[in-house]
Amino acid sequence: MAPWYFIVVVMLSGWVSIVSLEEFADFKATAAPTEPAAKALHFDIMKKRNYNKLIKPSSGPQSKLTVKLGLRLSQLIDVSEKNQIMIISVWLRHEWYDGRLKWNPDDYGGVDKLHIPSDDLWRPDILLYNNADGDFVITLLTKATVYNTGRIVWEPPGIYKSYCPIAMAYFPFDMQECFLKFGSWSYDGTEVDLQHFCDGIEQPGGEKIILKGIDIKDFYFNVEWDIINVTARRKVKFYPCCPEPYPDITFNVTIKRRTLFYTLNLIMPCISISCLTILVFYLPSDSGEKITLSISILLALTVFFLLLSDINPPTSLEIPLIGKYLLFIMLVVTMSIFLTVYTLHIHFKTPTTHKMSPWVRRVFTDILPRILLMRRPEFNRKKGKVAVRTCNGIEMRETESREWNTFENVHPPPPELEPDFSVDVNCTSKYSPGVMEALTGVKTIADNLRKADEENAEVRDWKYIAMVMDRLFLYIFTTACFTGTLSIFLYAPSLYDPRLPLNTSDTSGICVY
């Protein structure tokens, strides 16, 4: 019984092994039917057909190849005003047809497309004409998608540094027009016809404009710039070296600067400094700090000029808007220093060094104060009179009228009963020489006091004239700073541009690749 049992076990084991192998073969065939088909297709296209990537695809010796080009904007990395370079991250989409890469999908298990390394295919040498730094061509050679109809789609990413002429006339309220000019370097228009993916508006001269010719659906938000407009322009150019036409596609990117940062860090401090310039004329001359304040304001403006020189490109073609405003404020501060020195000179004038002209007294103490709505405090300046009459008493200055009303039930005496406190100095018969010498001294003191009062009054007039001039300059400089600030900053055209930043979620009118 042992041999028979052994034979049965061996037969059952063999039958199970055969069934397992058949099921595994069926599973492998159904799991990956396209792998050997795609491999065979790639082998047939590249090896059996002797595909040569150095030869341009064409259907005839005189036929030209149409290459479609599209740009998908990914990120605006940086705009260097000083170097006038725009750094931008894009996806550059190419599309063309190659008749050597056609096949029937039924012959290869239904495979209708292949992903082939772009380095193994012929590629149009599309490069950036206005390249400023870095590589002119795409460095990351991604795979291309090849369809069974011979259509090839290749969309590699790239970071370009393009030359962008920066117009700083209205900085920081500026808008910049940057562009990316692409074209074939080796092939002219009779060999490669470069076209945009979307249809555009025909212009005279064969030029075509594609509105919203840049795809911005995948654009990342930029903190400094807004995208205002994206257009594409296809044109044909003839160079002096060659009679053949050379088509190119120019992608224009219109960007507008966000002004919040510059408003808070540059414009508001400048306006505050201009307000301090006005306060120089409000500061009293006796404080001795008017010149110090003016010089401090001038130094602060110099610091802002140094900060501005690091931002602006070194060009002599135009002056930025903020630079014009700083120049205006520096001119105002310089004039305020000159006028402050002059008003201080007026303030410290004295009768011993200068004599006040009648017209100066009339204009600056009577006319201008009324125009400037200034009112001078009243002083009780009743001058005493020295009368030399008879030998009836002692010589003395005529005293101010007594305040009789301060005493209850006391009334002033009649004029005829007022004592006559005057003396004739020539009447020397009644007094001794000592008394007369004393009287002469008293008269001299009275004359000096009267002269001192007159000089003090004129000194007060000079100080009042300086105060009137300060008030006049205060009104003039306030008006000049206010009108100058408005006229300079409201001159920027971007403030009146009604266009809003493009919305990446709005796909209406956008060229979709």
Side-chain angles (χ1 to χ4, degrees), residues 57-348:
S58 61
S59 58
Q62 300 297 330
S63 63
K64 57 183 177 181
L65 177 66
T66 300
V67 177
K68 293 184 178 180
L69 190 66
L71 187 70
R72 181 172 296 164
L73 185 58
S74 176
Q75 185 180 4
L76 182 62
I77 299 176
D78 186 28
V79 177
S80 176
E81 293 88 355
K82 190 173 184 179
N83 299 318
Q84 302 195 35
I85 293 177
M86 178 182 67
I87 305 176
I88 191 171
S89 175
V90 299
W91 295 357
L92 196 61
R93 184 182 178 92
H94 306 70
E95 182 178 321
W96 69 95
Y97 281 86
D98 193 341
R100 298 171 295 178
L101 301 178
K102 292 182 179 180
W103 72 88
N104 188 1
D106 297 335
D107 298 338
Y108 297 95
V111 178
D112 58 352
K113 66 179 179 179
L114 281 177
H115 297 284
I116 301 177
S118 59
D119 198 27
D120 297 337
L121 302 174
W122 178 90
R123 303 187 310 272
D125 54 347
I126 306 296
L127 52 85
L128 182 65
Y129 277 21
N130 61 323
N131 182 68
D133 186 18
D135 296 320
F136 284 81
V137 295
I138 295 173
T139 57
L140 181 59
L141 300 179
T142 58
K143 290 184 177 182
T145 303
V146 182
Y147 295 89
N148 64 307
T149 58
R151 175 170 168 258
I152 301 175
V153 177
W154 181 43
E155 192 172 4
I159 296 178
Y160 288 105
K161 297 180 180 180
S162 64
Y163 168 74
C164 178
I166 304 296
M168 298 296 292
Y170 303 108
F171 174 82
F173 303 97
D174 56 334
M175 296 177 61
Q176 305 299 333
E177 296 281 348
C178 297
F179 65 96
L180 300 168
K181 183 179 179 181
F182 291 95
S184 177
W185 188 262
S186 303
Y187 300 99
D188 55 59
T190 60
E191 297 176 312
V192 173
D193 183 20
L194 190 61
Q195 296 287 342
H196 195 272
F197 269 93
C198 301
D199 296 331
I201 304 173
E202 294 289 343
Q203 299 291 328
E207 187 174 345
K208 182 185 294 185
I209 297 178
I210 300 93
L211 301 177
K212 295 185 178 180
I214 300 178
D215 190 358
I216 59 171
K217 293 192 303 294
D218 299 324
F219 178 70
Y220 291 96
F221 180 79
N222 189 272
V223 297
E224 187 178 0
W225 299 94
D226 284 327
I227 303 295
I228 300 299
N229 189 25
V230 285
T231 58
R233 187 184 302 268
R234 193 257 183 194
K235 57 184 178 181
V236 179
K237 187 174 183 180
F238 291 87
Y239 293 94
C241 65
C242 313
E244 297 85 3
Y246 283 87
D248 62 75
I249 296 179
T250 302
F251 297 95
N252 296 289
V253 181
T254 304
I255 54 178
K256 182 180 180 180
R257 192 188 302 272
R258 299 174 183 269
T259 59
L260 180 60
F261 173 80
Y262 298 97
T263 302
L264 295 179
N265 295 278
L266 203 59
I267 296 177
M268 294 304 295
C270 291
I271 296 177
S272 302
I273 290 175
S274 65
C275 295
L276 293 179
T277 306
I278 299 172
L279 293 179
V280 171
F281 299 103
Y282 195 74
L283 190 67
S285 299
D286 291 328
S287 64
E289 299 293 335
K290 295 172 72 71
I291 299 298
T292 304
L293 180 59
S294 300
I295 297 299
S296 301
I297 294 172
L298 192 62
L299 291 177
L301 289 176
T302 305
V303 172
F304 275 100
F305 254 121
L306 294 177
L307 294 176
L308 191 63
S309 62
D310 295 335
I311 301 175
N312 295 336
T315 177
S316 300
L317 300 178
E318 51 194 5
I319 302 175
L321 200 66
I322 187 66
K324 294 178 183 178
Y325 184 69
L326 286 176
L327 286 175
F328 169 72
I329 295 301
M330 289 193 70
L331 179 62
V332 168
V333 172
T334 305
M335 291 179 61
S336 69
I337 292 175
F338 282 107
L339 295 177
T340 301
V341 171
Y342 183 71
T343 54
L344 290 176
H345 172 71
I346 297 296
H347 180 80
F348 290 104

Side-chain angles (χ1 to χ4, degrees), residues 321-485:
L321 200 66
I322 187 66
K324 294 178 183 178
Y325 184 69
L326 286 176
L327 286 175
F328 169 72
I329 295 301
M330 289 193 70
L331 179 62
V332 168
V333 172
T334 305
M335 291 179 61
S336 69
I337 292 175
F338 282 107
L339 295 177
T340 301
V341 171
Y342 183 71
T343 54
L344 290 176
H345 172 71
I346 297 296
H347 180 80
F348 290 104
K349 278 186 176 182
T350 58
T352 58
T353 57
H354 298 84
K355 181 176 178 59
M356 185 180 298
S357 302
W359 70 270
V360 173
R361 186 186 301 275
R362 174 167 176 77
V363 171
F364 289 96
T365 60
D366 295 335
I367 300 176
L368 275 181
R370 290 197 300 268
I371 298 175
L372 300 177
L373 302 179
M374 296 178 64
R375 186 175 180 182
R376 189 176 184 181
E378 296 291 339
F379 294 96
N380 189 11
R381 297 180 297 177
K382 294 184 178 180
K383 297 180 180 180
K385 298 180 181 180
V386 178
V388 181
R389 297 176 183 173
T390 59
C391 302
N392 296 328
I394 301 174
E395 180 193 6
M396 60 178 298
R397 293 175 61 93
E398 183 181 353
T399 59
E400 297 180 359
S401 61
R402 295 184 179 93
E403 297 293 337
W404 298 97
N405 295 329
T406 57
F407 302 97
E408 186 178 1
N409 298 324
V410 177
H411 301 283
E416 59 271 10
L417 298 179
E418 283 283 340
D420 189 5
F421 298 103
S422 60
V423 66
D424 188 358
V425 295
N426 295 322
C427 300
T428 58
S429 59
K430 187 176 179 179
Y431 303 103
S432 63
V435 174
M436 295 304 302
E437 184 178 357
L439 294 175
T440 304
V442 170
K443 182 178 181 301
T444 303
I445 294 174
D447 293 337
N448 289 336
L449 290 177
R450 183 178 67 251
K451 185 177 181 182
D453 289 340
E454 294 175 354
E455 290 180 353
N456 290 334
E458 190 169 350
V459 168
R460 288 194 296 269
D461 289 340
W462 283 118
K463 291 184 178 182
Y464 183 68
I465 291 174
M467 186 173 66
V468 171
M469 294 178 65
D470 274 336
R471 185 64 59 85
L472 176 64
F473 295 146
L474 175 66
Y475 291 159
I476 293 175
F477 275 73
T478 301
T479 306
C481 290
F482 182 74
T483 56
T485 301

